[in-house]
Structures are given as structure tokens and as C-alpha cells.
Amino acid sequence: MRPSVFPFPNELIAQLPSADQVLLIENARLVELKTGDVLVSPDADQPLIYFMTSGSVALFVSHTSGIPQSGLAVGLIGREGALGLQAALGLGVGNISLIVQSNGFAYVLKAQRLRQLMKRHPNWLKVFYRNLWFLFLDISRLAALSQVHDIKQRLADWLLMSDVRCGHENLFMTHEHMAQMLGVRRASITLAAKQLKDMGFIDYSRGHIKLLNRPALVALASP
């Protein structure tokens, strides 16, 4: 189902004046995102900006070139933000790939076009800079958490963040995907997920995950 425009489903664009929201929409196109899609890779030559309206996309640093296989997720973005804003500021994509974790929609426009619009509407910069700062904080937190050896703790944190980014809807993530995001072995995720299930914190079946005890997961993720 296509998301409605107003009230605007992207919380970042919702911070702009109403007339500016309409202007941005007129210069964008709505696209559907499917789990597993790689939106941007380090070798991209046509940078795009994605304003999420539903679903979630992981920021993934890969150890190998091409399609990400081995690496680590350093961020997760949903309808609260946008992907690729740094390209609109004249910066490259760096070594980060964008992998769709949960199906959704996004408004997309070329970085060059957004840069032109920002020159005419400099008030947008404050909103976008604030978003990039919060993203930086998320990346810093996940980088520090990657050094924790308790996979159960890291998995609890990732599930909580995924839950928030997807608007508290039921999650769909395979053990293989979660292992890829956390940069660990699939067997480690299988064991950690079973422990969380046995503790009554989550339930899962065929990739569908339900968070049964959020307060307990929060306490485990942030001891």
C-alpha cells in the first residue's frame, strides 16, 4: 500500500514548512524498497537521497568489494530520517553500503537536485545537519557495542532499534541476515535468539520476530 503524503510519513521532511514539503515531493519519486536490495554501494557514481516513509535500511561497512557479504552494520534508518544526505552536501558515499532490511517505501531524488533546492532554501540545512548528527551518535554507539562479546546483548539492541525504525510492527529477519548485520557467525545468532526466546523476551518463527518484553530487552541491551 502506498503511504499517504499528509501528515507526512517522513519525520525529517515533516520538520520543514508545509510549502517546502510539497516542493521536495514534487522533485522526488516514490519507490518501493524490498528486503535485500542494495541501494548505494561505495562505487556508486549517481548518488541518490532516500527519504524513508516506511521500512528500514541498514548502513553496512563491507570487508569486500561489490555486493556486501562480510562486514558490520553501523546504523539503521527508518521513517525518522534519510539516507545519502552527505551527497547533497558535496560529500561522497564513503565505504558504506545501504542494504534494505525491511520492506518499505521512500521518496527519492538526485543529490544534485537536492543541493540546488538547498541553495534556494538554506533553512533546510539546519534540519538536515541535525539528522546527520543523530546518525553520527548512532554510528558511534554501534561501533562501541561491536566490541562487546555478549552476542545476546548486541542482538537485543539490534532488535530494539529495528522495532523502533519499523514503527513497532512485527519484524521479519532471518538468522543469516542478523548475523550479517552484527558481523558474527550464524550459529552465534541462532544460540542468542534461542536464549532470548527461552527467557520470554522474544518469539520467532520462520523469520517473523515478536518482541514480548521490551523493558527486559532494554535492560539487557544497556546493562
Side-chain angles (χ1 to χ4, degrees):
M1 183 174 67
R2 293 166 67 92
S4 60
V5 176
F6 296 104
F8 203 84
N10 177 272
E11 296 172 14
L12 183 59
I13 297 182
Q15 297 177 48
L16 302 177
S18 297
D20 291 354
Q21 294 180 33
V22 173
L23 176 63
L24 196 152
I25 293 286
E26 289 175 344
N27 283 272
R29 58 190 174 90
L30 185 66
V31 299
E32 184 175 5
L33 309 178
K34 296 183 178 181
T35 298
D37 287 350
V38 179
L39 304 183
V40 176
S41 58
D43 57 357
D45 57 358
Q46 294 272 342
L48 299 173
I49 315 298
Y50 294 80
F51 291 91
M52 302 290 296
T53 64
S54 60
S56 63
V57 176
L59 281 68
F60 191 84
V61 178
S62 179
H63 294 157
T64 58
S65 59
I67 298 177
Q69 297 293 338
S70 173
L72 179 70
V74 295
L76 188 67
I77 295 179
R79 59 180 293 177
E80 84 293 338
L83 302 140
L85 281 177
Q86 76 286 345
L89 301 174
L91 304 174
V93 298
N95 63 337
I96 292 179
S97 297
L98 304 179
I99 305 176
V100 178
Q101 172 170 271
S102 302
N103 294 337
F105 288 88
Y107 281 103
V108 181
L109 70 162
K110 293 182 179 180
Q112 181 180 5
R113 181 53 182 157
L114 182 58
R115 190 180 307 123
Q116 293 170 345
L117 292 172
M118 288 186 339
K119 287 181 179 179
R120 291 162 46 192
H121 302 272
N123 58 305
W124 294 13
L125 281 172
K126 182 178 180 180
V127 175
F128 295 160
Y129 279 143
R130 186 186 299 115
N131 178 259
L132 288 172
W133 170 248
F134 286 124
L135 177 59
F136 169 78
L137 294 178
D138 259 356
I139 291 174
S140 300
R141 184 183 60 80
L142 285 173
L145 194 59
S146 69
Q147 303 303 308
V148 173
H149 296 294
D150 187 349
I151 304 303
K152 187 165 75 276
Q153 177 185 346
R154 293 179 59 196
L155 178 59
D157 178 85
W158 188 258
L159 290 175
L160 286 167
M161 184 164 58
S162 299
D163 179 60
V164 171
R165 297 295 186 264
C166 290
H168 303 294
E169 298 178 359
N170 288 341
L171 303 176
F172 180 84
M173 289 186 286
T174 65
H175 288 187
E176 182 177 0
H177 170 82
M178 289 185 284
Q180 180 190 25
M181 294 297 103
L182 298 185
V184 300
R185 295 182 302 126
R186 186 173 183 267
S188 299
I189 291 296
T190 299
L191 176 60
K194 184 178 185 306
Q195 291 174 331
L196 293 177
K197 184 176 182 179
D198 291 344
M199 296 164 70
F201 293 1
I202 67 172
D203 191 19
Y204 62 85
S205 176
R206 299 174 183 251
H208 294 277
I209 304 172
K210 292 183 179 180
L211 306 191
L212 303 178
N213 192 335
R214 287 184 178 83
L217 286 169
V218 170
L220 175 61
S222 305

